[in-house]
């Protein structure tokens, strides 16, 4: 592990060129790799030698970018996936299968909720959803003998609640299972969940890590701290021979530091193939180089927007965990003392129609189904993603008709505030 600060790791971790090699991480745009003998390649297939043989499993560009993300999170191993969806699916499916159970926070990204509640349910994996603000008692009551993992988001998209990582880690460990945390919104610049007890971290790198809306992608990072071998009956996939890989036992061959990611690559990437293109990994790396510069600016701008909205007569409520008085302000101070994220949500007085007029009045902020990149963008679910729903149906989905999700970019704050002020005057 590197002993540099995160701002330095954003630039240098994961790749050190030797004499005369490219200064930038090279894009290895090749599906295959050549070997002199069949035996040499056979050793790779048996996971007995290290090396590349087919980009569906691993590629040098991707691995160098993954190593940077591992360093940023303080983990022992990492892999890239082609999307955040694939990262969350793999992270859980690597240790849970048909008949198993997972405890998850209710406050998670809608796409992740659908993945768990609909698609993975069809695979025979059951989920129990718990309020992130529940008591330890309520949390412990959600576990079953078949529970294999606990899942939550450091800052939930779009609810903007903050996960009490310590509370969730304690409950997970008391039941002999790992805590998986989706750390997309704060990024490791603002929070490193491993320092608070999380075992596996996932990312939609599509958001701040890429930061410029260039490439969809995901990442999985292992802390190397969860001792699978203490629970061999719960995690047979990691602790007993894998017949689909010549009888390798991942925890024996790769240790706690490498077992989870090696199994995930060797089995899930091999069989599902959600690998990012090396070109996209390259874009992601360019984004990572400025992550430590961009995050403080996103947070500073978002706090200014949240404060402005809080005092505006046309705004009925504001949700931003970095805003003093917010229900999750204390948790945010504990886990993210340097800042949270750039996303603010708020309600416009006058409901759905007033929110629509506010949207129409924006000039700088673009209306986009995206969050967390350099350009300020905004979404009004009731008139876009959820437009077919009645106000009652929206309430049941936890989306109020007046809710505006505002993703604050890194433009000059004076221009962002002028845009918001001008649009609110028309709401
Ligand atoms: C966007 C997002 C995802 C899904 O990521 P994709 O890259 O869009 O597949 C997962 N988790 C969180 C918190 C997100 O914001």
């Amino acid at each position: 592990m590197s002993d540099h600060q995160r701002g330095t790791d954003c630039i240098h971790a994961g790749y050190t060129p030797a004499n005369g090699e490219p200064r930038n991480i090279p894009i290895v745009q090749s599906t295959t790799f050549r070997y002199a003998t069949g035996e040499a390649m056979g050793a790779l297939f048996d996971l007995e030698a290290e090396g590349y043989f087919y980009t569906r499993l691993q590629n040098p560009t991707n691995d160098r970018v993954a190593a940077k993300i591992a360093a940023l999170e303080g983990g022992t191993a990492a892999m890239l996936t082609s999307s955040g969806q694939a990262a969350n699916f793999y992270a859980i499916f690597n240790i849970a299968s048909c008949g198993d159970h997972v405890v998850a926070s209710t406050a998670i990204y809608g796409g992740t909720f659908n993945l768990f509640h609909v698609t993975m349910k069809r695979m025979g994996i059951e989920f129990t959803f718990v309020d992130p603000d529940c008591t330890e008692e309520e949390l412990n009551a959600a576990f079953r003998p078949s529970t294999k993992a606990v899942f939550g988001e450091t800052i939930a998209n779009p609810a903007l609640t903050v996960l009490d990582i310590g509370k969730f880690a304690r409950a997970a460990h008391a039941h002999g299972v790992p805590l998986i945390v989706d750390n997309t919104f704060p990024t490791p610049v603002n929070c490193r969940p491993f320092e608070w007890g999380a075992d596996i971290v996932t990312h939609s790198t599509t958001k701040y890590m890429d930061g410029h809306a260039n490439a969809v992608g995901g990442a999985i990072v292992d802390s190397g701290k969860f001792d699978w071998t203490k629970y061999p009956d719960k995690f047979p996939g990691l602790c007993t021979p894998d017949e689909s890989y010549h009888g390798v036992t991942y925890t024996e061959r790769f240790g706690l530091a490498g077992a989870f990611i090696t199994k995930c690559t060797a089995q899930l990437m091999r069989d599902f193939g959600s690998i990012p293109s090396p070109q996209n990994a390259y874009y992601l790396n360019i984004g990572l180089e400025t992550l430590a510069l961009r995050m403080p600016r996103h947070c500073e701008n978002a706090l200014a927007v949240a404060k402005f909205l809080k005092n505006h007569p046309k705004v009925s409520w504001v949700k931003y965990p970095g805003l003093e008085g917010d229900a999750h302000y204390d948790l945010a101070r504990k886990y993210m003392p340097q800042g949270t994220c750039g996303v603010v949500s708020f309600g416009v007085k006058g409901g759905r129609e007033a929110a629509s007029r506010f949207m129409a009045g924006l000039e700088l902020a673009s209306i986009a189904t995206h969050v967390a990149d350099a350009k300020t963008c905004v979404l009004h679910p009731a008139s876009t993603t959820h437009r077919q729903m009645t106000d009652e149906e929206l309430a049941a989905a936890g989306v109020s008709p007046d809710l505006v999700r505002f993703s604050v970019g890194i433009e000059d704050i004076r221009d962002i505030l002028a845009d918001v002020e001008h649009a609110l005057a028309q709401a």
Side-chain angles (χ1 to χ4, degrees):
M1 218 184 293
S2 142
D3 51 9
H4 288 142
Q5 301 297 322
R6 263 165 274 181
T8 306
D9 277 341
C10 277
I11 296 167
H12 290 288
Y15 174 60
T16 311
N19 258 336
E21 284 185 355
R23 178 54 277 198
N24 265 4
I25 296 179
I27 303 171
V28 181
Q29 194 68 45
S30 181
T31 60
T32 53
F33 302 83
R34 179 187 169 268
Y35 288 91
T37 66
E39 286 70 35
M41 187 183 269
L44 298 177
F45 271 92
D46 285 352
L47 299 179
E48 260 153 17
E50 275 194 46
Y52 296 91
F53 55 95
Y54 190 45
T55 287
R56 168 152 46 79
L57 283 97
Q58 277 186 291
N59 172 281
T61 310
N62 297 0
D63 280 359
R64 284 160 177 166
V65 181
K68 175 178 282 187
I69 295 173
L72 289 173
E73 286 287 5
T76 55
M79 65 195 281
L80 300 187
T81 56
S82 57
S83 67
Q85 288 297 104
N88 284 327
F89 171 57
Y90 281 20
I92 290 180
F93 201 62
N94 204 31
I95 47 174
S97 44
C98 186
D100 289 339
H101 172 258
V102 174
V103 176
S105 164
T106 47
I108 53 175
Y109 175 64
T112 309
F113 180 76
N114 205 68
L115 168 70
F116 292 173
H117 186 62
V118 179
T119 302
M120 292 184 78
K121 194 172 170 193
R122 284 174 50 211
M123 299 172 164
I125 301 173
E126 292 278 340
F127 289 79
T128 297
F129 293 94
V130 293
D131 189 316
D133 299 328
C134 68
T135 63
E136 304 226 3
E137 245 173 19
E138 288 164 331
L139 183 52
N140 284 318
F143 287 80
R144 301 180 191 169
S146 58
T147 304
K148 295 297 167 74
V150 177
F151 181 92
E153 292 178 6
T154 318
I155 302 176
N157 175 12
L160 301 177
T161 51
V162 175
L163 189 75
D164 188 341
I165 302 173
K167 177 179 78 179
F168 274 71
R170 270 194 303 283
H173 298 160
H175 292 86
V177 302
L179 171 64
I180 303 172
V181 171
D182 181 330
N183 198 35
T184 297
F185 268 24
T187 82
V189 169
N190 284 340
C191 181
R192 297 215 288 184
F194 295 156
E195 291 171 359
W196 302 98
D199 303 286
I200 309 286
V201 156
T202 59
H203 281 280
S204 165
T205 62
T206 317
K207 315 292 165 56
Y208 291 117
M209 281 193 168
D210 172 298
H212 302 79
N214 276 322
V216 173
I220 309 171
V221 191
D222 183 10
S223 66
K225 284 194 230 154
F226 192 83
D227 192 352
W228 313 102
T229 63
K230 271 169 75 181
Y231 314 97
D233 298 338
K234 260 194 215 295
F235 305 107
L238 283 154
C239 303
T240 54
D242 176 5
E243 293 317 324
S244 81
Y245 242 111
H246 318 288
V248 58
T249 299
Y250 293 100
T251 44
E252 272 174 20
R253 181 81 69 81
F254 302 100
L256 297 183
F260 187 88
I261 293 295
T262 308
K263 175 180 183 289
C264 203
T265 301
Q267 291 180 340
L268 302 187
M269 204 51 102
R270 175 196 63 189
D271 294 352
F272 293 110
S274 317
I275 195 91
S277 73
Q279 182 83 37
N280 276 2
Y282 179 87
Y283 290 139
L284 169 57
N285 182 57
I286 298 295
L288 287 170
E289 289 194 356
T290 56
L291 185 65
L293 266 183
R294 290 183 285 108
M295 287 312 291
R297 172 78 165 224
H298 278 291
C299 295
E300 191 186 306
N301 281 358
L303 183 60
V305 168
K307 283 182 175 162
F308 177 84
L309 292 169
K310 185 86 187 166
N311 296 319
H312 198 284
K314 285 204 178 163
V315 172
S316 46
W317 57 271
V318 180
K319 174 81 191 140
Y320 182 64
L323 186 65
E324 218 172 325
D326 185 272
H328 295 91
Y329 181 72
D330 290 342
L331 281 177
R333 293 291 301 165
K334 175 177 176 184
Y335 292 111
M336 292 161 269
Q338 290 160 28
T340 53
C341 66
V343 184
V344 177
S345 60
F346 65 99
V348 184
K349 279 187 191 158
R352 191 191 287 247
E353 285 72 31
S356 284
R357 287 194 299 272
F358 166 76
M359 300 286 290
L362 290 166
E363 283 168 13
L364 179 68
S366 27
I367 298 174
T369 316
H370 198 247
V371 285
D373 74 67
K375 302 171 255 326
T376 294
C377 63
V378 63
L379 188 72
H380 176 222
S383 65
T384 54
T385 49
H386 296 59
R387 66 178 293 131
Q388 74 288 358
M389 293 189 181
T390 63
D391 286 3
E392 291 70 39
E393 286 169 336
L394 283 175
V399 179
S400 56
D402 61 348
L403 183 149
V404 172
R405 188 180 69 180
F406 203 79
S407 175
V408 185
I410 57 177
E411 300 93 339
D412 190 305
I413 187 60
R414 290 167 293 192
D415 294 322
I416 299 172
L417 290 178
D419 196 34
V420 172
E421 186 168 26
H422 173 253
L424 276 173
Q426 297 168 49

